[in-house]
Amino acid sequence: MSKKVSIRSLKTGVPGLDNLVGGGIPEFSFNLIAGTPGSGKTTLAHQIMFSLATPDHRALFFTVLGEPALKMLRYQQQFPFFDINKVNESIRFVNLSADILEGDFDRVLSRIAAEVKDYAPSLVVVDSFRSVVQSAKQEEQDGAGLQRFVQHLAMQMTSWQATTFLIGEYMMPEAESSPVFTVADGILWLSQNLQHSSMVRKIQVVKMRGQAQVPGLHTFRISDAGIQVFPRAIVQSGAAVGSARKPSIAIERVAMGIPGLDEMLGGGLPVGFSLVVVGPSGSGKTILATQFLAEGVRQGEPGVIAAFEKSPSQLLNNKLHALVKAGQVGVIDTRALDLSIDETLHDLIEMISRMQAKRVVIDSLSGFELALAPQFSDDFRGSLYRMIAQLTAMGVTILMIAELEDRYTDLRFSPYGSAFLTDAIIVQRYIEIVGQFKRVLSVVKVRGSEHSKDIRLFDITDEGIMIGETLSEYAGILSGRPTVSP
């Protein structure tokens, strides 16, 4: 019986990318980095190359651009992954523009072969491969010639034991008929889209032979640190939210930190549940969330708060500010626009793991939707579903704040039709009693658990939220029979 051949995976050095391609790029594979102009193809190739190149595993970068390699490097050296000490020691740059002008496949292939044989690299990059194709078209070479060129190049690179990347600008209809897409072992597709003044970049692993990749489109961002990929949150088997959650026989609960509220919830909020606190502006939603986090700290459970609607300075009252300063509560400032759900989830998971947090507050869902780029807000419910499933699967208890307009004659339980996503709902409202506004609170649902059906008044004091009488009890205290409107 023959044994399975072991293929070594090369770590790309691009945060998040290894997760997409199945652990890394297969050694000696023939890969294509394709996409629209300006989408980050050359930057991605440089980041991978500088991460992998060493004196024992050298890299050869062929450029067929009209500009010299030094001009290209002038911009690439702004990124921290660029190491000038590796240039000419572990990485060699070769300009093929003169050979491309001849438009002869055989001449270009011979030049590449000669350079590879002389330098013996472990990694070879050709940027831009599409320039070779365009040159061939100008000389009216047929598709069969291009097919042979691609096949010969792939076979030679594999025989030389080099991992190869071809970079090319392609549009999807053109890609479907390109022979290089058939021969390539791996294809990374990059794109960027502008919608409502928001720029969002996406990456897709079209194929990666010999290993499982994560399907679909994933967000990536080019920052001062280079490229970072944010894999799309995918609900794993066993992770569920809302009605898909299986009830637990013995439910462990967390205290909310508000006297009387745990009793209304049936003994506290079950661990790993998602709770949405709904109410109009000024009804006390953020104060309730603060007490939830503070109680967690008292119980030895660190927390994290993601601020979408307010800046951290606006959000933090004296009590929460002290907890943040002590390192017991982490704050993620996510007010920057053009976010994706995957970037937000990445930051949350990173901080939760670092702090070993057990409680998470999202303030607020309306601010969250506003912070998302239009491409993501269009699928807000689906994105929110994936995020909640990912966090609750980690055993984290989530409290989300949702702003609702109080119409007095219309009672709603959640915005965006997202009530089905949550395991518990608390509604805060204003009511009018004898010419005065009063705040009231009620527990609408706690999945799989008994809970109070009472509507209770509450006040906000220096100590936080204080829950008072039920409406029926308050009516008995008043003289006569007051008119109570919903």
Coordinates of all heavy atoms in Angstrom, one line a residue, residues 239-298:
A239 N -23.3 25.3 16.7 CA -23.5 26.7 17.1 C -24.8 27.2 16.6 O -25.0 27.1 15.4 CB -22.3 27.5 16.6
A240 N -25.6 27.7 17.4 CA -27.0 28.1 17.0 C -27.4 29.3 17.8 O -26.9 29.5 18.9 CB -28.0 26.9 17.1
V241 N -28.3 30.0 17.3 CA -28.9 31.1 18.0 C -30.4 31.1 17.8 O -30.9 30.4 16.9 CB -28.4 32.5 17.4 CG1 -26.9 32.6 17.6 CG2 -28.8 32.7 16.0
G242 N -31.1 31.8 18.6 CA -32.6 31.9 18.5 C -33.3 30.6 18.6 O -32.9 29.8 19.4
S243 N -34.2 30.4 17.7 CA -35.1 29.2 17.8 C -34.3 27.9 17.5 O -34.8 26.8 17.8 CB -36.3 29.3 16.9 OG -35.8 29.5 15.5
A244 N -33.1 28.0 16.9 CA -32.3 26.8 16.6 C -31.6 26.3 17.9 O -31.0 25.2 17.8 CB -31.3 27.2 15.5
R245 N -31.6 27.1 18.9 CA -30.8 26.7 20.1 C -31.6 25.6 20.8 O -32.8 25.6 21.1 CB -30.6 27.9 21.1 CG -29.8 27.5 22.3 CD -29.8 28.6 23.3 NE -29.2 29.9 22.7 CZ -27.9 30.1 22.7 NH1 -27.1 29.3 23.2 NH2 -27.5 31.3 22.2
K246 N -30.8 24.5 21.2 CA -31.4 23.4 22.0 C -31.4 23.8 23.5 O -30.4 24.2 24.0 CB -30.6 22.1 21.8 CG -30.6 21.6 20.3 CD -29.8 20.4 20.2 CE -29.8 19.8 18.8 NZ -29.0 18.6 18.6
P247 N -32.6 23.6 24.1 CA -32.7 23.9 25.5 C -31.8 23.1 26.4 O -31.6 21.9 26.1 CB -34.1 23.7 25.9 CG -34.6 22.8 24.8 CD -33.8 23.1 23.6
S248 N -31.2 23.6 27.4 CA -30.3 22.9 28.3 C -31.1 22.4 29.5 O -32.0 23.1 30.0 CB -29.1 23.8 28.8 OG -28.4 23.1 29.7
I249 N -30.8 21.2 30.0 CA -31.5 20.7 31.2 C -31.2 21.5 32.4 O -32.0 21.9 33.1 CB -31.1 19.2 31.3 CG1 -31.5 18.4 30.1 CG2 -31.8 18.6 32.6 CD1 -31.1 17.0 30.1
A250 N -29.9 21.7 32.7 CA -29.5 22.5 33.8 C -28.8 23.8 33.3 O -27.8 23.8 32.7 CB -28.4 21.7 34.7
I251 N -29.5 24.9 33.6 CA -29.1 26.2 33.0 C -28.3 27.0 34.1 O -28.8 27.3 35.2 CB -30.3 27.0 32.6 CG1 -31.1 26.3 31.5 CG2 -29.8 28.4 32.0 CD1 -32.3 27.0 31.0
E252 N -27.0 27.3 33.8 CA -26.2 28.1 34.7 C -26.6 29.6 34.3 O -26.7 29.9 33.1 CB -24.7 27.9 34.4 CG -23.8 28.7 35.3 CD -22.4 28.4 35.0 OE1 -22.1 27.6 34.2 OE2 -21.5 29.2 35.6
R253 N -26.7 30.4 35.3 CA -27.1 31.8 35.1 C -26.1 32.8 35.6 O -25.4 32.5 36.5 CB -28.5 32.0 35.7 CG -29.6 31.2 35.1 CD -30.9 31.4 35.8 NE -32.0 30.5 35.2 CZ -32.9 30.9 34.3 NH1 -32.9 32.1 33.8 NH2 -33.8 30.0 33.9
V254 N -26.2 34.0 35.0 CA -25.3 35.1 35.4 C -26.2 36.2 36.0 O -27.3 36.4 35.6 CB -24.5 35.7 34.2 CG1 -23.6 34.6 33.7 CG2 -25.4 36.3 33.2
A255 N -25.7 36.8 37.0 CA -26.4 37.9 37.7 C -26.3 39.2 36.9 O -25.2 39.5 36.3 CB -25.9 38.1 39.1
M256 N -27.4 40.0 36.9 CA -27.4 41.2 36.1 C -26.9 42.4 36.8 O -26.5 43.4 36.2 CB -28.8 41.5 35.6 CG -29.4 40.4 34.7 SD -28.5 40.3 33.1 CE -28.9 41.9 32.4
G257 N -26.8 42.3 38.2 CA -26.3 43.4 39.0 C -27.4 44.5 39.3 O -27.0 45.6 39.7
I258 N -28.6 44.2 39.0 CA -29.7 45.1 39.3 C -30.7 44.4 40.2 O -31.3 43.4 39.8 CB -30.4 45.6 38.0 CG1 -29.4 46.3 37.1 CG2 -31.6 46.5 38.3 CD1 -30.0 46.6 35.7
P259 N -30.9 44.9 41.4 CA -31.8 44.2 42.4 C -33.2 44.1 41.8 O -33.8 45.0 41.3 CB -31.8 45.2 43.6 CG -30.5 45.9 43.5 CD -30.2 46.1 42.1
G260 N -33.7 42.8 41.8 CA -35.0 42.5 41.3 C -35.0 42.1 39.9 O -36.0 41.4 39.4
L261 N -34.0 42.4 39.1 CA -34.1 42.0 37.6 C -33.8 40.5 37.5 O -34.4 39.9 36.6 CB -33.0 42.9 36.8 CG -33.1 42.6 35.3 CD1 -34.4 42.9 34.7 CD2 -32.0 43.5 34.6
D262 N -32.9 40.0 38.3 CA -32.6 38.5 38.2 C -33.9 37.7 38.4 O -34.2 36.7 37.7 CB -31.5 38.1 39.2 CG -30.2 38.6 38.8 OD1 -30.0 39.0 37.6 OD2 -29.3 38.6 39.6
E263 N -34.7 38.2 39.4 CA -35.9 37.5 39.7 C -36.9 37.6 38.5 O -37.6 36.6 38.2 CB -36.6 38.1 41.0 CG -37.9 37.5 41.4 CD -38.5 38.1 42.6 OE1 -37.8 39.0 43.2 OE2 -39.6 37.8 42.9
M264 N -36.9 38.7 37.9 CA -37.8 38.9 36.7 C -37.4 38.0 35.6 O -38.2 37.5 34.8 CB -37.8 40.4 36.2 CG -38.4 41.3 37.2 SD -38.4 43.0 36.6 CE -39.6 42.9 35.2
L265 N -36.1 37.7 35.5 CA -35.5 36.9 34.4 C -35.7 35.4 34.7 O -35.3 34.5 33.9 CB -34.1 37.2 34.1 CG -33.8 38.6 33.4 CD1 -32.3 38.9 33.5 CD2 -34.2 38.5 32.0
G266 N -36.2 35.1 35.9 CA -36.3 33.7 36.3 C -35.1 33.1 37.0 O -34.8 31.9 36.9
G267 N -34.3 34.0 37.6 CA -33.1 33.6 38.3 C -31.8 34.1 37.7 O -30.7 33.7 38.1
G268 N -31.9 35.0 36.8 CA -30.7 35.5 36.1 C -30.7 35.2 34.6 O -31.6 34.4 34.1
L269 N -29.8 35.7 33.9 CA -29.7 35.5 32.4 C -28.8 34.2 32.2 O -27.7 34.1 32.7 CB -29.0 36.6 31.7 CG -28.9 36.6 30.2 CD1 -30.3 36.5 29.6 CD2 -28.1 37.7 29.7
P270 N -29.4 33.2 31.5 CA -28.6 32.0 31.3 C -27.2 32.3 30.6 O -27.2 33.1 29.7 CB -29.5 31.2 30.3 CG -30.9 31.6 30.7 CD -30.7 33.1 31.0
V271 N -26.2 31.6 31.0 CA -24.9 31.7 30.4 C -24.9 31.4 28.9 O -25.5 30.4 28.5 CB -23.9 30.8 31.2 CG1 -22.5 30.8 30.5 CG2 -23.7 31.2 32.6
G272 N -24.2 32.2 28.1 CA -24.1 32.0 26.7 C -25.4 32.4 25.9 O -25.5 32.2 24.7
F273 N -26.3 33.1 26.6 CA -27.5 33.7 25.9 C -27.2 35.0 25.4 O -26.2 35.7 25.8 CB -28.6 33.7 26.9 CG -29.5 32.5 26.9 CD1 -29.0 31.2 26.7 CD2 -30.9 32.6 27.0 CE1 -29.8 30.1 26.7 CE2 -31.7 31.5 27.0 CZ -31.1 30.2 26.9
S274 N -28.0 35.4 24.4 CA -27.9 36.8 23.9 C -29.2 37.5 24.3 O -30.3 37.0 24.1 CB -27.8 36.7 22.3 OG -28.9 36.1 21.8
L275 N -29.0 38.7 24.9 CA -30.1 39.5 25.4 C -30.1 40.8 24.6 O -29.0 41.5 24.5 CB -29.9 39.8 26.9 CG -30.7 40.9 27.5 CD1 -32.2 40.6 27.5 CD2 -30.2 41.2 28.9
V276 N -31.2 41.3 24.2 CA -31.3 42.6 23.6 C -32.2 43.5 24.6 O -33.3 43.1 25.0 CB -31.9 42.6 22.2 CG1 -33.3 42.0 22.2 CG2 -31.9 44.0 21.6
V277 N -31.6 44.7 24.9 CA -32.4 45.6 25.7 C -32.9 46.7 24.8 O -32.1 47.4 24.2 CB -31.4 46.2 26.8 CG1 -32.2 47.2 27.7 CG2 -30.9 45.1 27.7
V278 N -34.2 46.8 24.7 CA -34.8 47.7 23.7 C -35.5 48.9 24.4 O -36.1 48.7 25.5 CB -35.9 46.9 22.9 CG1 -36.5 47.8 21.8 CG2 -35.3 45.7 22.3
G279 N -35.3 50.1 23.9 CA -36.0 51.2 24.5 C -35.7 52.5 23.8 O -34.8 52.6 23.0
P280 N -36.5 53.5 24.0 CA -36.2 54.8 23.4 C -35.0 55.5 24.0 O -34.5 55.1 25.0 CB -37.5 55.6 23.7 CG -38.0 55.0 25.0 CD -37.6 53.6 24.9
S281 N -34.7 56.7 23.4 CA -33.5 57.4 23.9 C -33.7 57.9 25.4 O -34.8 58.3 25.7 CB -33.3 58.6 23.0 OG -32.2 59.4 23.5
G282 N -32.7 57.7 26.2 CA -32.7 58.2 27.6 C -33.4 57.3 28.5 O -33.6 57.6 29.7
S283 N -33.8 56.1 28.1 CA -34.6 55.2 29.0 C -33.7 54.4 29.9 O -34.2 53.7 30.8 CB -35.5 54.2 28.1 OG -34.6 53.4 27.3
G284 N -32.4 54.4 29.7 CA -31.5 53.8 30.7 C -30.8 52.5 30.2 O -30.4 51.7 31.0
K285 N -30.8 52.3 28.9 CA -30.2 51.1 28.3 C -28.7 50.9 28.6 O -28.3 49.9 29.0 CB -30.5 51.0 26.8 CG -31.9 51.2 26.4 CD -32.1 51.1 24.9 CE -31.5 52.3 24.2 NZ -32.1 53.6 24.5
T286 N -28.0 52.0 28.4 CA -26.6 52.0 28.6 C -26.2 51.8 30.1 O -25.3 51.1 30.5 CB -25.9 53.2 28.1 OG1 -26.1 53.3 26.7 CG2 -24.4 53.2 28.3
I287 N -27.0 52.4 31.0 CA -26.8 52.2 32.4 C -27.0 50.8 32.8 O -26.3 50.2 33.6 CB -27.7 53.2 33.2 CG1 -27.3 54.6 32.9 CG2 -27.7 52.9 34.7 CD1 -28.3 55.6 33.6
L288 N -28.1 50.2 32.3 CA -28.3 48.7 32.5 C -27.1 47.9 32.1 O -26.7 47.0 32.8 CB -29.6 48.3 31.8 CG -30.1 46.9 32.2 CD1 -31.6 46.8 32.0 CD2 -29.5 45.8 31.3
A289 N -26.6 48.2 30.9 CA -25.4 47.5 30.4 C -24.2 47.7 31.3 O -23.4 46.7 31.5 CB -25.1 47.9 29.0
T290 N -24.0 48.9 31.8 CA -22.9 49.2 32.7 C -23.0 48.3 34.0 O -22.0 47.8 34.4 CB -22.9 50.7 33.1 OG1 -22.7 51.4 31.9 CG2 -21.8 51.0 34.1
Q291 N -24.2 48.2 34.6 CA -24.4 47.4 35.8 C -24.1 45.9 35.5 O -23.6 45.2 36.3 CB -25.7 47.7 36.4 CG -25.9 49.1 36.9 CD -27.2 49.3 37.6 OE1 -28.1 50.1 37.0 NE2 -27.5 48.7 38.7
F292 N -24.5 45.5 34.3 CA -24.3 44.1 33.8 C -22.8 43.8 33.8 O -22.3 42.8 34.3 CB -24.9 43.9 32.5 CG -24.6 42.6 31.8 CD1 -25.1 41.4 32.2 CD2 -23.7 42.6 30.7 CE1 -24.8 40.2 31.5 CE2 -23.4 41.5 30.0 CZ -24.0 40.3 30.5
L293 N -22.0 44.7 33.2 CA -20.5 44.5 33.2 C -19.9 44.6 34.6 O -19.0 43.9 34.9 CB -19.9 45.6 32.3 CG -20.2 45.4 30.8 CD1 -19.6 46.6 30.0 CD2 -19.6 44.1 30.2
A294 N -20.4 45.6 35.4 CA -19.8 45.8 36.7 C -20.1 44.6 37.6 O -19.2 44.1 38.4 CB -20.4 47.0 37.4
E295 N -21.3 44.0 37.5 CA -21.6 42.8 38.2 C -20.7 41.6 37.8 O -20.2 40.8 38.6 CB -23.0 42.4 38.0 CG -23.5 41.1 38.8 CD -23.4 41.2 40.3 OE1 -23.4 42.4 40.8 OE2 -23.3 40.2 40.9
G296 N -20.4 41.6 36.5 CA -19.5 40.5 36.0 C -18.1 40.6 36.6 O -17.5 39.6 37.0
V297 N -17.6 41.9 36.8 CA -16.3 42.1 37.4 C -16.3 41.6 38.9 O -15.4 41.0 39.4 CB -15.9 43.6 37.3 CG1 -14.6 43.9 38.2 CG2 -15.6 43.9 35.8
R298 N -17.4 41.9 39.6 CA -17.6 41.5 41.0 C -17.6 40.0 41.1 O -17.1 39.4 42.1 CB -18.9 42.1 41.6 CG -18.8 43.5 42.0 CD -19.9 43.9 42.8 NE -21.2 44.0 42.1 CZ -21.6 45.1 41.4 NH1 -20.9 46.2 41.5 NH2 -22.8 45.0 40.8

